[in-house]
C-alpha cells in the first residue's frame, strides 16, 4: 500500500483544541466484530465490554519535555526532550537558526545549562549540569501536540495526563486513556472487567510525518516498553477463561504486539520500532480503544490493519459527516477485531 492510501479530508474545526468539559464526556464510535458501526457515548463502554475481558492500560506519564533557552552565542533555541538517558543526559530535538555543534553550551530558563555532546541522527545528546528531571520540572513546558495551538495551561496539566499515569517519561499522552475516570475503572472492575498495566514511553516520533510514498521504505522511531510479570499472568488467566485482551490505545497495543514478535510474550521489555500496516498478523490484542488519527500517519495505518482498511475508511467518513472531534482531545473509537 502507498502513503496516499491513508489520506482523508478533515475540516479544521473538527480538530479538538481542548478536552471535553468533563473527563469521559466524549463520543464513542463502535465498530463491532460482526460489522457495521454504532454511534455511542464513552460512558457506554461498560455496556460494550464483557465480563472476563482485560483492559491493558499504558501507565506512562507525560513529562514537561519542552525547553526554551539560548546558545552561549546568544541564538534562541527550543529543545524537546525525546528520551531521558540517565540522570544527567537526554536525547532531544532542537529547533534553532543553526544547529548546535558538539561542545556548544545551552542555557535554559536563564539558569540551567546543558552541553551538546553529539548528534545522533535527528536528535542531539545533551548533558545537563543538574538532573534532567529536575530541570524539566522547574523550567519545562508540557509538550502539547503540534495541531493544538494554545499555550499549555493548568487545565492541560491535569487533562493531558491519564488518571492512572505513574511512570514519567512520555512526551505525548497515550490519548485513548484520557477518557477514563477512576469511577469508570472501578465500575468496570465491579462487573468483572479487570485492568492491567504496561509502560510505553511515547516519543516525539509519534508526530513525525511519513515522508515516503512507498511504505516499505519508512523507518519507525524507537520507543521503550515494559510489561510487568503481573500483567503477563493476567493475560494468561484471561485467555484461559475465554476473555478478550482490550488494548487501551495504540501504545498499549504496540507494547503487547512488540513483546510477541519472537514468540508469545517472549520479549516483555525492550525497545520497539514495530510498524503495523494492513496484512499484519495480530498475536496479542482482540479489541482496541483508540482516538481518531492524523491523515497519512502510522497510527492510521495501524488501526486500518486492526479493523480492516475499508471499515476504517468508512468509519472516518462517517465520523467527519457526524462531526466527531478528532485527535488527542477528541472522541474515541472501539474497534473489535474479526
Amino acid at each position: 500500500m502507498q502513503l496516499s492510501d491513508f489520506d482523508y479530508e478533515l475540516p479544521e474545526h473538527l480538530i479538538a483544541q481542548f478536552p471535553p468539559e468533563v473527563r469521559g464526556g466524549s463520543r464513542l464510535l463502535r465498530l463491532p466484530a460482526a460489522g457495521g458501526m454504532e454511534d455511542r457515548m464513552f460512558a457506554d463502554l461498560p455496556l460494550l465490554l464483557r465480563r472476563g475481558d482485560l483492559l491493558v492500560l499504558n501507565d506512562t506519564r507525560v513529562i514537561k519535555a519542552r525547553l526554551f533557552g539560548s546558545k552561549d552565542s546568544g541564538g534562541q533555541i527550543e529543545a524537546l526532550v525525546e528520551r531521558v538517558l540517565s540522570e544527567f543526559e537526554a536525547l532531544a530535538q532542537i529547533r534553532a537558526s543553526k544547529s548546535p555543534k558538539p561542545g556548544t553550551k545551552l542555557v535554559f530558563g536563564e539558569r540551567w545549562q546543558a552541553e551538546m555532546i553529539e548528534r545522533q541522527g535527528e536528535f542531539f545528546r545533551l548533558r545537563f549540569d543538574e538532573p534532567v528531571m529536575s530541570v524539566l520540572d522547574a523550567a519545562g513546558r508540557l509538550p502539547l501536540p503540534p495541531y493544538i495551538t494554545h499555550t499549555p495551561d493548568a487545565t492541560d496539566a491535569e487533562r493531558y495526563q491519564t488518571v492512572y499515569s505513574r511512570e514519567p517519561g512520555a512526551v505525548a499522552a497515550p490519548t485513548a486513556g484520557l477518557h477514563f475516570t477512576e469511577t469508570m475503572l472501578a465500575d468496570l472492575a465491579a462487573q468483572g472487567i479487570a485492568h492491567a498495566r504496561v509502560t510505553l514511553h511515547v516519543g516525539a516520533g509519534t508526530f513525525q510525518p511519513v515522508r515516503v510514498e512507498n511504505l516499505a521504505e519508512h523507518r519507525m522511531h524507537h520507543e521503550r516498553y515494559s510489561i510487568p510479570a503481573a500483567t503477563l499472568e493476567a493475560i494468561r488467566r484471561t485467555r484461559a477463561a475465554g476473555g478478550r485482551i482490550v488494548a487501551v490505545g495504540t501504545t498499549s497495543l504496540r507494547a503487547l504486539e512488540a513483546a510477541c514478535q519472537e514468540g508469545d510474550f517472549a520479549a516483555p521489555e525492550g525497545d520497539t520500532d514495530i510498524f503495523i500496516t494492513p496484512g499484519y498478523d495480530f498475536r496479542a490484542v482482540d479489541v482496541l480503544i483508540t482516538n481518531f488519527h492524523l491523515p497519512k500517519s502510522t497510527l492510521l495505518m495501524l488501526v486500518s490493519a486492526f479493523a480492516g482498511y475499508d471499515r476504517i475508511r468508512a468509519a472516518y467518513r462517517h465520523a467527519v459527516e457526524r462531526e466527531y472531534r478528532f485527535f488527542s482531545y477528541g472522541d474515541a473509537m472501539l474497534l473489535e477485531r474479526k
Side-chain angles (χ1 to χ4, degrees), residues 10-11 13-16 26-30 37-41 292 315-327 330-333:
L10 180 67
H13 73 275
L14 296 185
I15 300 174
S26 304
R27 297 164 73 186
L28 177 71
L29 181 59
R30 180 192 181 202
M37 63 186 77
E38 301 174 4
D39 294 303
R40 294 277 198 157
M41 298 299 295
F292 293 91
Y316 272 58
R317 285 195 299 270
H318 176 88
V320 170
E321 291 168 1
R322 297 296 180 92
E323 298 205 326
Y324 277 71
R325 287 157 41 89
F326 277 64
F327 307 158
D331 296 316
M333 303 182 79

Side-chain angles (χ1 to χ4, degrees), residues 147-159:
Y147 46 77
I148 293 179
T149 57
H150 68 267
T151 300
D153 58 21
T155 297
D156 297 300
E158 176 195 359
R159 297 294 298 278

Side-chain angles (χ1 to χ4, degrees), residues 170-218:
V171 302
T175 54
L178 299 180
H179 304 282
F180 284 85
T181 64
E182 296 282 7
T183 300
M184 174 173 278
L185 289 171
D187 290 345
L188 289 166
Q191 68 180 59
I193 301 166
H195 61 267
R197 297 170 182 257
V198 299
T199 303
L200 183 143
H201 292 315
V202 190
T206 193
F207 300 119
Q208 291 299 309
V210 179
R211 296 186 172 92
V212 293
E213 180 64 17
N214 180 0
L215 299 185
E217 299 173 1
H218 178 66

Side-chain angles (χ1 to χ4, degrees), residues 299-317:
L299 297 182
L300 181 57
M301 297 167 196
L302 183 156
V303 296
S304 298
F306 189 84
Y309 176 80
D310 291 334
R311 293 178 78 204
I312 289 295
R313 295 286 292 184
Y316 272 58
R317 285 195 299 270

Side-chain angles (χ1 to χ4, degrees), residues 62-221:
V62 183
I63 58 177
K64 295 195 291 183
R66 196 179 302 279
L67 291 165
F68 295 90
S70 61
K71 293 182 283 188
D72 50 8
S73 62
Q76 298 299 301
I77 63 165
E78 177 184 335
L80 178 64
V81 171
E82 165 77 9
R83 181 182 296 191
V84 178
L85 300 174
S86 64
E87 184 178 8
F88 291 93
E89 291 194 0
L91 280 182
Q93 297 178 4
I94 291 182
R95 182 183 297 175
S97 57
K98 283 189 177 181
S99 295
K101 296 180 179 180
T104 301
K105 300 291 186 181
L106 310 176
V107 181
F108 302 107
E110 301 181 356
R111 170 184 165 185
W112 294 273
Q113 292 190 5
E115 179 182 354
M116 204 289 266
I117 305 300
E118 64 176 352
R119 184 90 181 250
Q120 295 185 5
E122 63 183 306
F123 300 109
F124 297 79
R125 184 160 68 92
L126 305 181
R127 181 180 298 135
F128 289 79
D129 62 350
E130 294 187 31
V132 178
M133 292 305 299
S134 297
V135 176
L136 295 181
D137 286 342
R141 181 182 293 179
L142 195 71
L144 290 177
Y147 46 77
I148 293 179
T149 57
H150 68 267
T151 300
D153 58 21
T155 297
D156 297 300
E158 176 195 359
R159 297 294 298 278
Y160 197 61
Q161 303 279 9
T162 65
V163 296
Y164 47 79
S165 65
R166 65 181 185 186
E167 298 292 339
V171 302
T175 54
L178 299 180
H179 304 282
F180 284 85
T181 64
E182 296 282 7
T183 300
M184 174 173 278
L185 289 171
D187 290 345
L188 289 166
Q191 68 180 59
I193 301 166
H195 61 267
R197 297 170 182 257
V198 299
T199 303
L200 183 143
H201 292 315
V202 190
T206 193
F207 300 119
Q208 291 299 309
V210 179
R211 296 186 172 92
V212 293
E213 180 64 17
N214 180 0
L215 299 185
E217 299 173 1
H218 178 66
R219 295 295 173 263
M220 286 288 286
H221 57 288

